[in-house]
Amino acid sequence: MDFSGKTIVVTGGTSGIGAATALAFADAGGRVLISGRNAKGAAKVMADAKRLSGRIDFVQGDLSDRATCDRLIAEAVKRLGRIDVLINNAGIGSRVSSLETTDETWRSVMTVNVDAVFYLSRAAALLMKERRSGTIVNNASELGLIAEPGKFSYCVSKAAVVQITRCMALDLAPFNIRVNAVAPGDTRTAMMERKIRDKGLPIERGVELIALRTPLKRVAMPLEIAKVMMFLASDDASFMTGNVVAVDGGTTVTGPPDTDLAKYAKRSRGRKAAEASAR
Ligand SMILES: NC(=O)c1ccc[n+]([C@@H]2O[C@H](COP(=O)([O-])OP(=O)(O)OC[C@H]3O[C@@H](n4cnc5c(N)ncnc54)[C@H](OP(=O)(O)O)[C@@H]3O)[C@@H](O)[C@H]2O)c1
């Protein structure tokens, strides 16, 4: 895919899927601006871009602060001249049920995962509307399409991202602005590692167990999600808008994954023992 001369803003570009996406766009000739709180993570991504002979700029800020959203769009216009592509990727998880969700958890998840997506999309779309050109790609989740117990505010927030995508796609279609989303399944990033650590499992064992519940029997690597976001942002997807593309190894085809990693650990120990005794 060729993004020469295109300008791209990637939120949450300091790690994981966002970093892979920013680097892929830079490698394809795009001028990229990433955002996030972590300056060290950003410095690594910018250095990696240089090695690919690309260029990535960084705006530091916390997207749960409303002013950061406005500042990011203003900086994008100042540094890039215009926004051709907005990738709303930044997001945070929550691993508690509805009954255990405090007001604070609910607000913090909604602020980053939903409010910021709306504020940034609206601001970028107002600029794109002037030029009657532009595209927005949101990073939702398979958990915006199916529900999983114990992840209340995350699931609700990602379902909201799905509807932001569909509603804005309709509102913006008359201005030739496309809006789509990816709904990734389990992807090997810091977010996945935090989830495994919370369960008290060694990282590699946790990854193995998560892979077991996915039809393709593995987790995704960040670039596999990044490539689909790039496709949706590209002219190759010129007739696509309002789509939410699951990139999940088949999970949403089978239904909600069983999340009890401890149970998986027991099952896979049992299977290994059975295999050993059969040998
Ligand atoms: N990994 C998965 O299995 C998976 C599956 C489905 C969907 N997703 C979605 O993919 C997206 C990226 O997640 P990831 O897996 O790549 O995790 P990650 O490595 O933890 O990346 C999350 C990114 O979001 C940014 N971010 C979080 N809170 C922020 C805040 N308050 N202000 C500004 N930036 C903030 C982080 O930047 P800083 O740390 O620099 O602030 C970081 O760059 C998320 O929307 C997530 O929901 C992930």
Side-chain angles (χ1 to χ4, degrees):
M1 277 173 271
D2 183 12
F3 281 87
S4 305
K6 297 279 186 193
T7 58
I8 301 110
V9 175
V10 182
T11 69
T14 54
S15 72
I17 297 169
T21 306
L23 284 167
F25 273 117
D27 194 33
R31 290 162 60 207
V32 183
L33 182 68
I34 58 170
S35 83
R37 295 159 301 179
N38 177 0
K40 225 164 124 186
K44 183 177 180 313
V45 175
M46 289 189 286
D48 287 349
K50 245 188 213 156
R51 268 193 291 278
L52 297 169
S53 311
R55 180 170 168 185
I56 292 180
D57 280 357
F58 172 54
V59 172
Q60 189 171 25
D62 184 339
L63 285 177
S64 61
D65 176 3
R66 173 76 179 81
T68 303
C69 299
D70 296 336
R71 188 163 53 84
L72 176 57
I73 297 296
E75 281 294 320
V77 172
K78 199 162 104 188
R79 298 192 204 184
L80 306 174
R82 62 178 195 283
I83 302 170
D84 292 316
V85 179
L86 169 65
I87 305 284
N88 283 308
N89 164 78
I92 54 172
S94 77
R95 285 181 286 281
V96 283
S97 75
S98 47
L99 294 181
E100 296 157 328
T101 297
T102 61
D103 293 6
E104 289 70 29
T105 301
W106 172 258
R107 273 282 21 108
S108 67
V109 173
M110 289 299 151
T111 309
V112 177
N113 291 9
V114 183
D115 295 1
V117 172
F118 167 55
Y119 296 144
L120 290 165
S121 300
R122 183 181 55 185
L126 284 168
L127 298 169
M128 291 171 178
K129 184 175 166 235
E130 298 299 311
R131 295 183 295 108
R132 298 185 82 79
S133 156
T135 181
I136 297 172
V137 181
N138 297 321
N139 192 346
S141 167
E142 61 184 6
L143 296 183
L145 302 171
I146 55 174
E148 190 175 301
K151 290 192 175 172
F152 177 66
S153 25
Y154 185 73
C155 289
V156 175
S157 71
K158 292 301 186 175
V161 173
V162 166
Q163 283 300 61
I164 287 175
T165 304
R166 291 175 177 151
C167 294
M168 289 193 85
L170 295 180
D171 290 342
L172 301 178
F175 309 109
N176 192 35
I177 301 166
R178 298 184 301 105
V179 187
N180 292 289
V182 289
D186 290 306
T187 308
R188 179 88 198 238
T189 66
M191 184 180 269
M192 173 181 283
E193 295 191 356
R194 280 191 295 273
K195 176 165 82 180
I196 294 170
R197 239 179 283 161
D198 276 7
K199 299 263 182 192
L201 287 166
I203 298 297
E204 291 312 320
R205 181 72 181 132
V207 172
E208 214 179 284
L209 294 173
I210 290 169
L212 277 180
R213 58 186 209 181
T214 307
L216 281 182
K217 296 289 173 251
R218 66 178 181 84
V219 301
M221 295 309 286
L223 189 58
E224 294 180 283
I225 312 300
K227 281 184 176 168
V228 181
M229 290 211 272
M230 275 181 90
F231 165 70
L232 290 172
S234 76
D235 290 342
D236 290 343
S238 52
F239 204 53
M240 290 181 76
T241 198
N243 289 101
V244 180
V245 181
V247 193
D248 64 354
T251 302
T252 48
V253 178
T254 63
D258 189 339
T259 50
D260 189 345
L261 290 187
K263 199 165 76 192
Y264 267 90
K266 220 190 281 167
R267 254 195 234 154
S268 87
R269 269 200 303 274
R271 205 178 50 224
K272 273 189 188 144
E275 281 166 6
S277 67
R279 261 184 242 129

